[in-house]
Amino acid sequence: MARNIRLPDPTTESGTVKWVTIAVAGLFMAVVLFIPLLAVFLEAFRLGAGAFLAAITEPDALAAIRLTLLVAAISVPLNMVFGVAAAWAIAKYEFKGKAFLTTLIDLPFSVSPVIAGLVYVLLFGSGSVLGPIFNSAGLQVLFAVPGVVLATLFVTFPFVARELIPLMEDQGTGDEEAAISLGAGGWQTFWRVTLPNIKWGLLYGVLLCNARVMGEFGAVSVVSGRLRGETVTMPLQIEILYNEYNFSAAFAVAALLALLALVTLILKALLERVYGRDHAGGVRH
Amino acid sequence: MSLAPSSRRGWRWKQPSVIPGFGLTLGFAIVYLCLIVLIPLAGVGWRSAALGWEEFWRIGTDARVLAALRTSFWTAALAALVNAVFGVIVAWVLVRYEFPGRRIVDAVVDLPFALPTAVAGIALTALYAPTGWIGQFFAPLGIRIAYTPIGIVIALIFIGLPFVVRTVQPVLEDFDREVEEAAATLGANRLQTIVSIILPALFPAILTGFALAFGRAVGEYGSVIFIAGNIPYVSEIAPLLIVMRLEEFNYPAATAIGAIMLILAFIVLFAVNLIQTWSRGRYGHGA
């Protein structure tokens, strides 16, 4: 008869230690992450649902929402095409300087968002070479929508590439070589073989890229010039309202972005279940 | 020795491949990289060089600039340190323990990546202001959190947490439990096993997470400016000083401060790469 004595497992901690550790981690997470998130929604609805709706439907807020969507609609596809091209070149071929190129692609993650804005001010601002050329061609870059797009592109540059490079390196070149040897063309191979292989990883990268595009603040605030209704994105609108002590309106717009963050996290968790945590482990977002 | 000539003959810039599109994809990637990132960044170097060394030095050693750099540095270091400690605990709990709500906690770790920094900034300020939910408990004790450097540290802890958790977590998941069993068999108690077997193996990952969190925190702007109070010489961070100089159209000063921060960012990046190379050689995995 088996004796019913439970020996302590030598590779786990005792129950007390376990629950104390969980409590410490839980408390830390609550104070640092959960409570601030909760605060956004509570502050947004402090004056009731009517005030919330009024705050997010007033003309300046609507203009900010429109601009944020416009910037995302331009920036995300551009960085997506770049990410796919860069990952194709880096993962499907062996060439010298590959590691260096990968480091350069990651560079924007190491640079302060404010500097991402600064570089475009220096490039297109007063005293620059390019600014007057573009101006005489009738294209205002700085303190206009093109500047906002450029600064956003810089900050979110590595997202898709970073997600796809390790994924495509793991998948190797066998599928593509088989397709080519069976007579498929380059584009055919990409659309019919490679894209189905990488679709979840691509979606994952696009999702994270989009979240950062819509929420970018530092870089955009430097190049925007804050022309109300013209160059103010949602995060900038939050700042403007907050600095006018219009707190509930600021939190109303903030709640929309927090909702976007929550949707992003949920989709991200679902995607990780579909295609595995191993590939969805990019740390430096 | 005899291999040298043949290996030289065999030197190729690129290995041959039947897959088409190398020129197109690499060409596009490099052109886009240059247009969006490299040329604009080079502009900072070029404009800094145009300032001349003396002017650069004068701006860089200005008392207010030095104070802002100091503030940025110690707050980022302290926040990264707090994250290194609690990030390991959170990663440990997520990997080793089963408890209700584990999946939700795991998903929420990434919140700072998804939540716009301005939203985090105003939310933390609302919480930690003297009249806020959390700040009201500290105000009677004479402790002010928002509008002081402590507030900056709070914001930077928020921003940096996922970096440590997400670098330590996979290494802990891959950790070979048999090593722990061996330690236990040899008579080590649990604490000894954790301190002298597990933590040393996690160390490169913790260091990488610390460096990433620090690098992000030094350049952070959006979440900090709301809670910092932005008092010159006290709670003014270097990125804010860049923004202020730009708003005054004082481009030389903004450029010089930006160049200093860029150099620091490259040092952090270099350190991370060194840690990973060292860790790969020692433990067989990049942190």
Side-chain angles (χ1 to χ4, degrees):
Chain A
M1 211 180 91
R3 289 185 41 201
N4 214 359
I5 298 173
R6 279 184 54 190
L7 286 167
D9 184 338
T11 61
T12 54
E13 297 73 41
S14 71
T16 326
V17 174
K18 174 184 161 181
W19 288 107
V20 168
T21 316
I22 292 176
V24 169
L27 191 68
F28 182 76
M29 290 280 291
V31 171
V32 174
L33 300 181
F34 284 99
I35 295 178
L37 184 62
L38 193 64
V40 175
F41 292 106
L42 288 178
E43 292 285 334
F45 286 96
R46 177 173 269 187
L47 304 179
F52 173 80
L53 281 179
I56 59 169
T57 51
E58 56 107 13
D60 280 351
L62 284 179
I65 294 170
R66 256 197 306 274
L67 179 61
T68 294
L69 292 176
L70 174 71
V71 171
I74 301 170
S75 310
V76 175
L78 278 174
N79 278 344
M80 184 180 82
V81 171
F82 162 75
V84 172
W88 181 277
I90 287 173
K92 299 294 172 195
Y93 308 97
E94 286 303 325
F95 59 93
K96 300 274 189 283
K98 204 157 124 167
F100 184 61
L101 180 61
T102 315
T103 309
L104 286 182
I105 290 174
D106 273 347
L107 207 54
F109 278 149
S110 317
V111 173
S112 169
V114 167
I115 292 181
L118 168 74
V119 297
Y120 287 107
V121 172
L122 295 183
L123 211 57
F124 293 103
S126 69
S128 70
V129 185
L130 287 177
I133 299 174
F134 277 78
N135 276 344
S136 63
L139 184 67
Q140 170 87 20
V141 176
L142 205 58
F143 311 130
V145 176
V148 174
V149 172
L150 282 173
T152 307
L153 281 177
F154 184 104
V155 172
T156 59
F157 183 82
F159 276 90
V160 178
R162 172 143 201 111
E163 208 53 58
L164 288 184
I165 291 169
L167 175 66
M168 285 169 75
E169 275 178 343
D170 276 3
Q171 288 174 347
T173 53
D175 289 359
E176 283 79 12
E177 279 161 6
I180 302 282
S181 69
L182 292 171
W187 287 107
Q188 227 178 346
T189 307
F190 173 73
W191 289 110
R192 301 258 185 106
V193 177
T194 310
L195 197 59
N197 276 343
I198 61 167
K199 60 175 187 262
W200 297 120
L202 183 62
L203 206 58
Y204 191 89
V206 166
L207 184 75
L208 296 176
C209 182
N210 179 63
R212 184 68 194 265
V213 163
M214 290 192 169
E216 180 48 34
F217 177 74
V220 171
S221 85
V222 170
V223 295
S224 136
R226 290 186 182 69
L227 305 170
R228 285 207 158 191
E230 285 177 51
T231 62
V232 174
T233 61
M234 287 169 78
L236 294 180
Q237 177 73 7
I238 294 173
E239 187 203 21
I240 290 173
L241 291 169
Y242 192 87
N243 287 343
E244 288 170 349
Y245 301 101
N246 193 349
F247 295 136
S248 60
F251 276 103
V253 181
L256 288 182
L257 286 175
L259 195 67
L260 170 77
L262 281 181
V263 171
T264 303
L265 286 185
I266 291 168
L267 290 176
K268 182 172 175 297
L270 289 178
L271 277 175
E272 275 165 11
R273 237 186 267 182
V274 173
Y275 99 115
R277 188 67 174 255
D278 286 353
H279 292 307
V283 155
R284 308 180 56 189
H285 306 132
Chain B
M1 286 299 277
S2 63
L3 276 174
S6 70
S7 71
R8 177 163 300 165
R9 209 181 315 124
W11 193 92
R12 279 198 184 91
W13 175 65
K14 170 187 169 289
Q15 301 293 316
S17 166
V18 295
I19 302 171
F22 178 71
L24 177 72
T25 53
L26 188 71
F28 175 74
I30 288 178
V31 168
Y32 190 73
L33 176 72
C34 288
L35 285 181
I36 300 293
V37 178
L38 297 184
I39 294 173
L41 268 183
V44 177
W46 185 61
R47 285 287 194 101
S48 306
L51 283 179
W53 178 244
E54 264 176 37
E55 178 71 358
F56 188 87
W57 184 255
R58 196 187 57 75
I59 297 166
T61 55
D62 173 70
R64 191 167 169 187
V65 173
L66 283 180
L69 285 170
R70 245 197 314 271
T71 306
S72 280
F73 256 74
W74 78 258
T75 52
L78 184 60
L81 197 66
V82 171
N83 277 329
V85 174
F86 284 95
V88 171
I89 296 175
V90 170
W92 181 274
V93 163
L94 288 175
V95 173
R96 291 296 175 99
Y97 301 146
E98 204 42 69
F99 57 94
R102 195 184 64 87
R103 274 179 184 283
I104 295 174
V105 173
D106 194 16
V108 173
V109 167
D110 285 327
L111 181 72
F113 287 151
L115 193 71
T117 53
V119 177
I122 63 169
L124 291 171
T125 311
L127 289 176
Y128 289 96
T131 52
W133 298 4
I134 300 177
Q136 62 179 327
F137 299 110
F138 289 91
L141 307 172
I143 303 171
R144 282 164 51 93
I145 298 177
Y147 319 125
T148 71
I150 307 171
I152 302 179
V153 176
I154 300 273
L156 296 180
I157 291 173
F158 174 88
I159 289 300
L161 177 67
F163 290 94
V164 178
V165 178
R166 293 300 187 226
T167 34
V168 173
Q169 203 175 5
V171 180
L172 197 56
E173 271 164 5
D174 289 346
F175 191 79
D176 193 353
R177 293 298 276 265
E178 284 176 17
V179 180
E180 290 170 57
E181 283 166 16
T185 318
L186 293 171
N189 65 32
R190 193 59 190 150
L191 187 67
Q192 282 173 320
T193 309
I194 291 175
V195 170
S196 47
I197 305 291
I198 302 178
L199 280 183
L202 293 183
F203 187 67
I206 300 172
L207 209 58
T208 304
F210 173 87
L212 292 175
F214 175 79
R216 173 72 202 265
V218 163
E220 178 56 24
Y221 175 72
S223 60
V224 172
I225 54 159
F226 296 99
I227 201 169
N230 307 326
I231 306 153
Y233 298 100
V234 178
S235 61
E236 191 174 62
I237 55 167
L240 175 71
L241 210 51
I242 297 179
V243 173
M244 289 168 63
R245 293 294 172 260
L246 283 175
E247 279 169 359
E248 295 160 359
F249 296 99
N250 185 353
Y251 290 174
T255 310
I257 306 169
I260 294 171
M261 295 205 59
L262 266 182
I263 294 167
L264 296 173
F266 292 150
I267 293 173
V268 172
L269 189 69
F270 185 64
V272 170
N273 282 335
L274 271 189
I275 297 167
Q276 293 194 330
T277 314
W278 167 70
S279 148
R280 218 168 277 135
R282 193 179 153 93
Y283 298 98
H285 59 72

